[in-house]
Amino acid sequence: MLEIELCNIKMKNPTMLAAGVLGSTAASLNWVARSGAGAIVTKSFGLIPNKGYSNPTTVEVTGGIINAIGLSNPGVENVKEELKKLSGSVPAVASIYGANPHEFSVIADRINGEVDAIELNVSCPHAMGGCGAAIGQNPQLTADIVRAVKEKVRCPVFVKLTPNVTDIVEIATAAEEAGCDALTMINSLGPGMKIDVETARPILSNRFGGMSGPAIKPIALRCVFDVYEAVNVPIIGVGGVTNHEDVLEFLYAGARAVQVGTGIMYHGPGIFADICAGLEKFMAEKGYKSVEEMVGLAHL
Ligand SMILES: Cc1cc2nc3c(=O)[nH]c(=O)nc-3n(C[C@H](O)[C@H](O)[C@H](O)COP(=O)(O)O)c2cc1C
């Protein structure tokens, strides 16, 4: 009942692990796969190891968390070893980042054949060295990166968009015209900040970070809704999902699959099985036979 197909990739349900949460090692990715996710996405990685920012890198705020991890990762060659240890029980997506089209294409080339799809992170609000949202705020640069990666790999290429733009449809359309296979939206919102009332200092070492969790869901939904009306490629919704009702909202807005990040921090990896049980019950009650039937219903 919950099976979907995303860019010809078969998934047993529409839930996916979002990049950056439990996605650094094969052990944690396999754990999420065993817990019921329909697909897994790695933490974003680059060409060379990156230590990221010093602690504190995350802080809880009303409605979610703010993080400025700075894309810490062990680099493509080390991640490749982890990818070889994946159980293969569910499709795996590699999230990659870089500073320019060439860097993205080199990384994509090195993991070609190791994963079912590649997600281009052009949207991190706290990345170092011009690797973040500055790319995803520029339609031309985003398109150049999509083209460079598509020239190197045969697997589907997703582009993860930032909500921190004047017009997300412009960026989505540029990515689609450049040949991307799906759009993932949204990356964390902001940057935002939290200040310690005792010390009067920003709490995060980077001072600013990306906001995630339930508070950003209305914005993520609006982004999916707007882009659904403008593009033909499938959309993967992400932002603030903690239960099956959140997933339903994303499907109605036009998403075909939905990723969960911060929700795992609240509920653990069991959240995937809980969401699927909730979806199945809802669909049985309403008489839906497939997830596909619910996609885009809010537009009718
Ligand atoms: C701790 C943390 C680390 C993240 N790291 C990444 C990352 O490496 N790459 C990426 O594309 N998004 C990253 N994200 C963003 C999430 O994938 C997701 O787009 C965002 O958090 C909104 O979804 P959520 O509200 O379900 O967390 C990270 C989010 C969090 C909370």
Side-chain angles (χ1 to χ4, degrees):
M1 186 188 234
L2 296 184
E3 303 80 23
I4 64 153
E5 230 178 87
L6 183 71
C7 305
N8 291 326
I9 301 168
K10 289 189 192 325
M11 286 168 49
K12 64 182 178 186
N13 69 62
T15 68
M16 302 172 69
L17 174 69
V21 181
L22 290 181
S24 297
T25 64
S28 63
L29 286 160
N30 287 337
W31 180 33
V32 173
R34 281 197 306 278
S35 302
I40 47 175
V41 183
T42 68
K43 168 138 192 75
S44 298
F45 56 92
L47 205 47
I48 53 170
N50 172 21
K51 280 169 85 171
Y53 297 118
S54 49
N55 284 325
T57 54
T58 55
V59 60
E60 189 163 13
V61 293
T62 308
I65 66 164
I66 303 177
N67 89 83
I69 290 175
L71 293 173
S72 67
N73 76 96
V76 61
E77 290 310 322
N78 289 309
V79 174
K80 212 168 151 178
E81 294 310 307
E82 291 301 302
L83 294 176
K84 291 184 198 303
K85 291 186 251 170
L86 290 179
S87 66
S89 62
V90 300
V93 180
S95 170
I96 67 172
Y97 75 89
N100 52 55
H102 177 68
E103 218 171 279
F104 270 93
S105 72
V106 171
I107 301 166
D109 196 26
R110 293 206 192 155
I111 51 161
N112 202 3
E114 303 286 347
V115 284
D116 297 282
I118 293 176
E119 187 173 87
L120 308 179
N121 178 3
V122 294
S123 45
C124 178
H126 50 80
M128 301 162 169
C131 294
I135 296 177
Q137 287 161 344
N138 179 331
Q140 184 63 52
L141 191 49
T142 302
D144 290 347
I145 288 169
V146 173
R147 278 193 209 95
V149 171
K150 285 292 287 181
E151 269 175 27
K152 293 282 181 193
V153 299
R154 300 177 71 167
C155 68
V157 174
F158 309 161
V159 183
K160 185 159 179 188
L161 302 182
T162 172
N164 310 316
V165 289
T166 311
D167 181 10
I168 196 165
V169 171
E170 184 191 11
I171 313 285
T173 311
E176 181 182 46
E177 282 169 3
C180 80
D181 299 282
L183 293 164
T184 306
M185 64 186 70
I186 56 175
N187 208 318
S188 46
L189 182 72
M193 73 188 300
K194 182 171 169 70
I195 298 172
D196 187 315
V197 291
E198 295 300 329
T199 62
R201 304 296 308 149
I203 289 183
L204 297 177
S205 74
N206 183 51
R207 296 182 296 158
F208 312 122
M211 173 87 191
S212 63
I216 74 165
K217 192 188 73 177
I219 292 164
L221 280 173
R222 190 270 303 160
C223 289
V224 171
F225 189 93
D226 274 357
V227 169
Y228 179 78
E229 302 212 330
V231 303
N232 292 312
V233 291
I235 297 169
I236 302 161
V238 51
V241 171
T242 59
N243 57 42
H244 78 278
E245 288 173 335
D246 296 331
V247 172
L248 287 168
E249 281 191 85
F250 273 103
L251 295 174
Y252 295 159
R256 278 169 196 281
V258 178
Q259 298 181 350
V260 184
T262 305
I264 298 172
M265 298 182 186
Y266 297 136
H267 302 288
I271 191 171
F272 292 102
D274 290 347
I275 287 174
C276 290
L279 279 179
E280 274 185 341
K281 185 163 176 284
F282 178 88
M283 288 169 68
E285 279 165 14
K286 299 284 180 191
Y288 290 118
K289 304 254 175 308
S290 72
V291 171
E292 176 77 27
E293 285 172 55
M294 299 187 285
V295 174
L297 284 184
H299 297 261
L300 299 178

